Amino acid sequence: MGKIQLISLSLIGLYFHSVTTSPVPTGCHDPSVLNAAEVALDQINAARKEGYIFSLNRVYDVLQDAKEEGGKLLQLTIDVLETKCHVISKKKWKSCEIKDITNVPVFGKCDISVFIQTNITLRNYSCTIQQVPAAAIVDTCPDCPTTESLNDPIVSETAKLSLEKFNKETTMSNYFILLNITGAKMQWVVGPSYFVEFIIQETDCSKTLTDVDWNQCQPINGTHMKGFCTGSHITFDDDSEEKMSKEDSWIRGTHTTIEEAKIKLSNKVSCSLYQQMLEIEPENSHRITKIHPANQSLSGSVLVLPPPPLPVPPRIPASAPNCPGERRHNLGLKSLKL
């Protein structure tokens, strides 16, 4: 065999080796694309300091840029859904439960840039999320909860009552204060029932102190505990007392009075606490969250928009072949396809 033939065969071998080791993505169903999207989403959630952990619903579009530095750069558009886990938990999105129609779901998309070499590295991202319109929820589930304004006085009161209950019942050595309310909804039970989700922060006020002035308690700097809480407050209409006394088996046959029953039903709270090693930073109430991670090469943002009108305006069609990918969740909504 001549030298020219040997060289030709070598070049062909190198070509197929290159194709095998660095294939061009074939679309949104490509395993390498799906893996890159999943890993990148973990990095997005780890970088964020506010809001709820995103879960991957599908890869909507993919574009491969020119190769660089021995790897490849992918531009992905992924569809995401909010989970019930707050970002302070630092949980992986695969271990978090999706918010369904009973939890006022939130959906959106992220445009991300991912560099793939030995590892998968997120370069930057831009996410836009919004709540599912109330009309779409009611159309599927008329009795499901609806959202309440975070500025509503009853929402603030519910968070306050819930925090007071937590501080009274917890075995933690210090008191906690409210940082911000992250979600609120209302549902009719035996009366208007309000449900809130909020973040609390450990303070320097010891629970051994009496007559604590909450305004004087300061968040602990350095290592401290931060919590994600859910609380509820139920009020009663004029017919509730009669209904409770006649129908509620947990009241009948006991010495519990209607007023005592109201107290038991009026307020519940549950908090998950997480140790934080960061310096205290002021909570940002703006609806746009700018991310400043330790990795200065990563930049990203999350924009929260109001619920869209129905029907939802059509999206720009995916440009890549075999895109978009298959949805993992649709939440059973009749008038909105996520």
Side-chain angles (χ1 to χ4, degrees), residues 47-59:
R48 295 168 56 222
K49 296 182 179 180
E50 296 180 5
Y52 297 81
I53 289 175
F54 295 151
S55 177
L56 178 65
N57 196 20
R58 67 174 173 178
V59 178

Side-chain angles (χ1 to χ4, degrees), residues 101-158:
I101 58 175
T102 64
N103 299 104
V104 190
V106 173
F107 70 103
K109 71 179 184 71
C110 295
D111 295 313
I112 62 179
S113 177
V114 181
F115 182 66
I116 304 176
Q117 197 174 33
T118 304
N119 298 317
I120 297 172
T121 305
L122 177 68
R123 290 281 183 86
N124 56 70
Y125 66 94
S126 175
C127 300
T128 303
I129 60 173
Q130 48 197 154
Q131 287 183 344
V132 168
I137 297 176
V138 172
D139 184 43
T140 303
C141 179
D143 296 325
C144 283
T146 56
T147 57
E148 287 290 310
S149 170
L150 301 186
N151 297 320
D152 193 313
I154 190 63
V155 171
S156 300
E157 181 66 15
T158 302

Side-chain angles (χ1 to χ4, degrees), residues 43-324:
Q43 295 177 31
I44 290 173
N45 287 322
R48 295 168 56 222
K49 296 182 179 180
E50 296 180 5
Y52 297 81
I53 289 175
F54 295 151
S55 177
L56 178 65
N57 196 20
R58 67 174 173 178
V59 178
Y60 186 79
D61 206 356
V62 55
L63 172 67
Q64 179 172 329
D65 286 353
K67 295 180 182 178
E68 60 175 69
E69 303 172 12
K72 58 185 176 183
L73 186 65
L74 295 183
Q75 304 295 337
L76 302 177
T77 298
I78 61 174
D79 289 348
V80 297
L81 294 171
E82 268 193 354
T83 70
K84 298 179 182 179
C85 301
H86 197 273
V87 294
I88 66 170
S89 69
K90 298 300 180 183
K91 292 182 178 180
K92 299 295 185 181
W93 61 268
K94 287 186 177 181
S95 66
C96 294
E97 185 180 353
I98 297 291
K99 288 183 179 179
D100 58 20
I101 58 175
T102 64
N103 299 104
V104 190
V106 173
F107 70 103
K109 71 179 184 71
C110 295
D111 295 313
I112 62 179
S113 177
V114 181
F115 182 66
I116 304 176
Q117 197 174 33
T118 304
N119 298 317
I120 297 172
T121 305
L122 177 68
R123 290 281 183 86
N124 56 70
Y125 66 94
S126 175
C127 300
T128 303
I129 60 173
Q130 48 197 154
Q131 287 183 344
V132 168
I137 297 176
V138 172
D139 184 43
T140 303
C141 179
D143 296 325
C144 283
T146 56
T147 57
E148 287 290 310
S149 170
L150 301 186
N151 297 320
D152 193 313
I154 190 63
V155 171
S156 300
E157 181 66 15
T158 302
K160 177 183 176 182
L161 291 173
S162 299
L163 178 57
E164 289 178 354
K165 184 177 180 66
F166 173 79
N167 274 326
K168 180 179 179 181
E169 297 179 353
T170 184
T171 57
M172 297 296 294
S173 58
N174 293 338
Y175 286 105
F176 283 72
I177 57 172
L178 177 68
L179 285 186
N180 64 327
I181 300 174
T182 60
K185 55 189 178 182
M186 189 277 284
Q187 184 179 29
W188 194 273
V189 186
V190 294
S193 302
Y194 298 90
F195 305 88
V196 295
E197 298 175 349
F198 55 97
I199 305 298
I200 60 175
Q201 164 76 56
E202 184 181 9
T203 73
D204 57 4
C205 291
S206 171
K207 292 184 69 175
T208 59
L209 302 175
T210 58
D211 299 326
V212 175
D213 182 359
W214 293 94
N215 294 323
Q216 300 302 316
C217 294
Q218 298 297 319
I220 294 180
N221 205 352
T223 303
H224 60 278
M225 300 299 292
K226 187 178 286 188
F228 172 66
C229 302
T230 59
S232 63
H233 178 72
I234 300 178
T235 57
F236 298 83
D237 61 12
D238 295 337
D239 298 328
S240 296
E241 292 188 11
E242 182 180 356
K243 182 177 180 180
M244 288 170 61
S245 61
K246 288 182 179 180
E247 299 180 3
D248 290 352
S249 60
W250 61 274
I251 294 180
R252 288 185 284 109
T254 70
H255 297 292
T256 304
T257 66
I258 294 298
E259 290 302 319
E260 290 172 337
K262 284 185 179 183
I263 294 173
K264 290 181 179 179
L265 282 176
S266 64
N267 191 35
K268 294 181 180 180
V269 64
S270 175
C271 296
S272 297
L273 300 178
Y274 305 95
Q275 189 175 61
Q276 307 290 306
M277 305 297 291
L278 305 177
E279 294 295 314
I280 293 298
E281 295 180 2
E283 291 293 323
N284 186 357
S285 61
H286 295 298
R287 302 306 285 165
I288 298 180
T289 305
K290 292 293 185 181
I291 309 299
H292 301 284
N295 179 8
Q296 295 300 319
S297 63
L298 171 61
S299 63
S301 64
V302 177
L303 173 63
V304 182
L305 298 177
L310 289 177
V312 175
R315 295 175 65 175
I316 298 175
S319 59
N322 300 316
C323 285

